[in-house]
Amino acid sequence: MENSQETEKNFKENKKIVFSAIQPSGAMTLGNYLGAIKSWNQMQDKYRCIFALADLHTITVRQNPENFRKNTLELYALLLACGIDPDKNLFFIQSHVHTHTELAWILDCYTQFGELSRMTQFKDKSKKYADNINAGLFSYPALMAADILLYNTDLVPVGEDQKQHMELTRNIAQRFNGIYGDTFTLPEAFIPKTGAKVMSLQNPSAKMSKSDTTPNSCVLLMDSPDAIMKKFKKAVTDSDSQIKFKQNEKTGINNLINIYSTVCGKSLEETENEFDGKGYGTFKIAVAEAVIGTLRPIQAKFKEYISDPGYLQEKYTQGALAALDISSSTLKKVKEKIGFIL
Ligand code: TYM
């Protein structure tokens, strides 16, 4: 493990452990970035961080093999471009570390049918992919629990849509600990104050998602400045013209205030004050410019990383080796407690 010096230093310093993952299911969205990746970035110096590309989760929806491989490699490069430092954190591809699937099977046996049936993501995806409601889609949260629990994780930076999966992870851990004694650390979700739920620019009552086929609804991290400007200019707003955040209303303007505040590191009130008396048109352009400005350096770095597949391979291989090392000891402990012959 060549990256081990700094990683080991972090791990020895007894810092809290952070784990999170993202699926390589297509291009990364502004929602992913503001809801999760920005927090990952900020947590790198303070915590011992472990990040993964959750490619095993991705096959719960049918993938074209060539695109899947390409998306995975590109997402790894894009996360490096976003500032995730593979020498400071463990950053690997989930399917490279076999302990994840092994613990997932075990946790499947400690997760109830009723619990999994209640997951809103399962219900939504069952509707969306009605011709492929597979067992993996159903037990998806147990694999996510395995990802997290393997590393004695304290904190999990995620967007709001993962809250229910996090609660289930805690329930599974508590259940296991209740039967076998203290085994798993109980992880907590870390959900940012702003940006935790970026909504579609065309339908502000639905979350921004790469699988949304409505044109201009979703901003992608690699979108050109022109495309970003066009999408924000076309963003749906209400008939009111004030730039004011309306609590408990799922309006387009709330979403734009949320995006601008998160991107600029401002509070919602600061954004309201900045645009007091200004119109929607001016505000939309300002939001687009702020997003373009944030993404420009990321896009430039992405081009560098993706042109060096040797470097990417070195880093994800290194990350997987280190992750296997840590997660194997948790898996061993779990197997011993259950009564497997080791
Ligand atoms: P995924 O790949 O759907 O999304 C990655 C992260 O982005 C957040 N996110 C959003 N945040 C704000 N607004 C949005 N519109 C938005 N869309 C997505 C998600 O909340 C997530 O944090 N199951 C996970 C991947 C996973 C995982 C894990 C996460 C697998 N194992 C263990 C944490 C811990 C997922 O599908 O995320």
Side-chain angles (χ1 to χ4, degrees), residues 19-25 29-37 40 52 54 57 94 121 125 140 143-145 147-148 156-163 165-166 195-200 206-210:
F19 180 93
S20 198
I22 176 169
Q23 289 194 61
S25 49
T29 70
L30 187 64
N32 294 137
Y33 180 71
L34 298 181
I37 310 309
W40 296 16
H57 282 101
Q94 184 192 35
Q121 183 179 295
K125 286 202 170 168
Y140 176 116
L143 175 58
M144 184 163 156
D147 296 341
I148 297 165
V156 184
V158 279
E160 215 167 281
D161 62 337
Q162 296 301 319
K163 218 165 147 183
H165 289 159
M166 284 305 304
K197 196 164 190 192
V198 176
M199 310 308 273
S200 154
K207 130 184 139 160
M208 181 182 281
S209 158
K210 56 197 133 202

Side-chain angles (χ1 to χ4, degrees), residues 19-23 52 54 56-58 60 94 100-101 103-105 107-108 111 116 119 121 125 136-151 153 156-170 172-173 187-191:
F19 180 93
S20 198
I22 176 169
Q23 289 194 61
L56 293 164
H57 282 101
T58 305
T60 55
Q94 184 192 35
H100 288 244
T101 34
L103 183 62
W105 170 255
L107 296 184
D108 272 340
T111 310
L116 293 171
M119 294 293 113
Q121 183 179 295
K125 286 202 170 168
L137 193 65
F138 188 63
S139 65
Y140 176 116
L143 175 58
M144 184 163 156
D147 296 341
I148 297 165
L149 299 177
L150 275 171
Y151 299 94
T153 304
V156 184
V158 279
E160 215 167 281
D161 62 337
Q162 296 301 319
K163 218 165 147 183
Q164 200 185 23
H165 289 159
M166 284 305 304
E167 279 158 16
L168 181 55
T169 298
R170 285 171 63 88
I172 297 170
E188 270 179 47
F190 174 91
I191 296 174

Side-chain angles (χ1 to χ4, degrees), residues 5-68:
Q5 271 187 355
E6 189 145 13
T7 311
E8 252 181 52
K9 193 171 133 260
N10 267 348
F11 277 68
K12 277 190 189 136
E13 278 174 0
N14 215 14
K15 292 176 176 171
K16 282 197 172 178
I17 299 175
V18 165
F19 180 93
S20 198
I22 176 169
Q23 289 194 61
S25 49
M28 201 205 290
T29 70
L30 187 64
N32 294 137
Y33 180 71
L34 298 181
I37 310 309
K38 214 162 174 270
S39 309
W40 296 16
N41 228 336
Q42 288 161 353
M43 289 172 131
Q44 303 186 83
D45 294 322
K46 206 165 158 205
Y47 302 104
R48 315 187 268 184
C49 293
I50 306 168
F51 300 126
L53 299 192
D55 57 346
L56 293 164
H57 282 101
T58 305
I59 64 162
T60 55
V61 173
R62 198 76 69 230
Q63 302 293 319
N64 166 291
E66 215 173 295
N67 291 345
F68 184 33

Side-chain angles (χ1 to χ4, degrees), residues 241-259:
S241 64
Q242 274 189 325
I243 296 159
K244 282 261 170 267
F245 194 89
K246 297 166 200 123
Q247 211 69 44
N248 302 326
E249 282 185 39
K250 290 177 174 172
T251 61
I253 200 68
N254 275 3
N255 191 31
L256 295 182
I257 294 175
N258 189 26
I259 292 173

